[in-house]
């Protein structure tokens, strides 16, 4: 029927033997590193060897200091995973929203109450090197700062990490579909919103142009996020670029299906599969999805390749 390359999102929080299910995203958990290690075992049994990590630190501040520290939650998790599962491909989300007390994706100008692009780029380069030194296999910057791909590619190349690819959140729309994610990642903005640095959902031309520009800057993989409402953009970007294309099947999309299943309104398994097929048909080479484990199990049961 169709083959899919999945990346499964994992949320890491400090502690021991911690596994907390989030009400808005059934089946999605905040986990301590020891349980993340166990989860990797289960993923590998299903044939899923690629994960993307999001960190939830104990202490947040105005600049996201935990994300810049080699002993921070993400760096510690990457080292632990690579030590116990060297065959697991570890992607790290690079952003500041989970690590800052204001919940925005960069450094804030306190007077203007806006994100400062260039100051954020400087710290983003530091964060990328922390991830790379810890053993990350790929960096995925989600903050949507202008020039982020050039900044990270330069920083990685100049510090002996030219082999580490960058998966760009190249077309990331401002979206209400992210709500449940912010519950899991504890990353809701404390003021305003992110429309000043995320894409306008109505502007298709700019959406394609952003991905084309990131290809020019040196991205290795492009992405459309969210996926379900933007399959037209997925196809346009696929036609306009030569890079592999990922889609992020985001938390709101996942939670809608889960809620409809609970209400008995849909045949959950069939809707889930046809959703994945839609992503693939539109042009996705990679799907980041909270459904990944369920889909892989279902495909194995039905003998779908």
């Amino acid at each position: 029927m169709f083959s899919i390359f999945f990346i499964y999102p994992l949320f890491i929080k400090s502690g021991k033997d911690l596994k907390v299910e989030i009400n808005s995203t059934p089946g999605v958990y905040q986990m301590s590193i020891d349980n993340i290690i166990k989860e990797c075992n289960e993923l590998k049994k299903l044939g899923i060897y690629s994960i993307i990590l999001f960190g939830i630190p104990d202490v947040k501040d105005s600049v996201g200091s935990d994300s810049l520290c080699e002993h921070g939650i993400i760096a510690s998790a990457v080292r632990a995973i690579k030590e116990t599962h060297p065959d697991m491909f570890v992607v790290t989300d690079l952003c500041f929203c989970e690590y800052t007390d204001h919940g925005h994706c960069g450094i804030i100008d306190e007077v203007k109450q806006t994100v400062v692009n260039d100051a954020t780029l400087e710290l983003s380069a530091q964060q990328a090197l922390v991830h790379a030194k810890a053993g990350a296999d790929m960096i995925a910057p989600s903050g949507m700062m202008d020039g982020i791909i050039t900044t990270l590619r330069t920083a990685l190349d100049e510090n002996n990490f030219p082999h580490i690819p960058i998966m760009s959140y190249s077309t990331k729309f401002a979206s209400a579909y992210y709500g449940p994610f912010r519950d899991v990642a504890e990353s809701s903005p404390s003021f305003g919103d992110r429309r000043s640095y995320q894409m306008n959902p109505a502007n298709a031309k700019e959406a394609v142009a952003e991905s084309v520009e990131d290809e020019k800057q040196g991205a290795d993989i492009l992405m459309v996020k969210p996926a379900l409402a933007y399959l037209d953009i997925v196809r346009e970007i696929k036609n306009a670029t030569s890079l592999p294309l990922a889609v992020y099947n985001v938390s709101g999309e996942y939670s809608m299906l889960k809620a409809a299943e609970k209400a008995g309104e849909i045949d959950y398994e069939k809707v889930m599969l046809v959703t994945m097929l839609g992503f693939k048909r539109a042009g996705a080479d990679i799907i980041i999805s909270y459904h990944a484990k369920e889909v892989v199990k279902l495909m194995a049961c039905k003998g779908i390749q």
Side-chain angles (χ1 to χ4, degrees), residues 122-182:
E122 184 177 341
L123 291 186
S124 296
Q126 294 181 35
Q127 189 180 154
L129 293 177
V130 168
H131 294 189
K133 290 173 183 177
D137 295 298
M138 184 158 67
I139 307 293
S142 62
M144 286 294 290
M145 297 298 115
D146 291 339
I148 186 69
I149 302 303
T150 295
T151 296
L152 298 187
R153 187 71 273 159
T154 300
L156 291 168
D157 290 354
E158 290 180 349
N159 287 274
N160 300 315
F161 296 107
H163 59 286
I164 294 183
I166 298 172
M167 179 168 62
S168 171
Y169 284 65
S170 53
T171 299
K172 179 180 178 181
F173 293 94
S175 178
Y177 277 109
Y178 303 146
F181 172 92
R182 293 170 184 172

Side-chain angles (χ1 to χ4, degrees), residues 55-129:
I56 307 160
D58 283 337
V59 178
K60 302 187 180 193
D61 59 24
S62 62
V63 298
S65 297
D66 187 90
S67 68
L68 306 172
C69 174
E70 64 179 16
H71 301 297
I73 187 66
I74 281 290
S76 298
V78 172
R79 284 193 298 271
I81 292 168
K82 297 304 287 186
E83 286 172 5
T84 53
H85 297 285
D87 52 349
M88 184 66 77
F89 190 84
V90 178
V91 185
T92 52
D93 176 78
L94 188 152
C95 195
F96 290 96
C97 61
E98 301 112 285
Y99 305 94
T100 53
D101 51 14
H102 49 72
H104 278 281
C105 299
I107 307 308
I108 296 296
D109 181 318
E110 297 292 346
V111 176
K112 297 180 180 179
Q113 292 285 281
T114 57
V115 172
V116 183
N117 192 89
D118 290 353
T120 301
L121 291 181
E122 184 177 341
L123 291 186
S124 296
Q126 294 181 35
Q127 189 180 154
L129 293 177

Side-chain angles (χ1 to χ4, degrees), residues 10-16 18 20 29-34 36 54-58 73 77 184 186:
L10 292 173
F11 297 86
I12 308 153
K13 195 166 185 176
S14 298
K16 190 173 181 180
L18 177 72
V20 179
Y29 300 84
Q30 295 175 338
M31 288 184 275
S32 51
I33 291 175
D34 54 336
I36 290 286
F54 298 87
I56 307 160
D58 283 337
I73 187 66
V184 186
E186 299 179 9

Side-chain angles (χ1 to χ4, degrees), residues 225-281:
K225 177 184 180 182
L228 194 57
Y230 299 100
L231 296 183
D232 58 324
I233 303 300
V234 174
R235 173 46 58 188
E236 288 196 41
I237 292 172
K238 187 67 175 178
N239 292 340
T241 70
S242 60
L243 292 180
L245 182 59
V247 296
Y248 201 137
N249 176 209
V250 299
S251 59
E253 298 166 357
Y254 170 85
S255 293
M256 284 195 304
L257 264 63
K258 285 292 184 182
E261 177 193 26
K262 185 176 181 180
E265 298 294 341
I266 62 170
D267 184 323
Y268 175 77
E269 291 184 348
K270 287 182 178 179
V271 172
M272 180 175 62
L273 280 181
V274 79
T275 300
M276 299 299 135
L277 179 59
F279 298 150
K280 183 70 175 177
R281 188 185 62 247

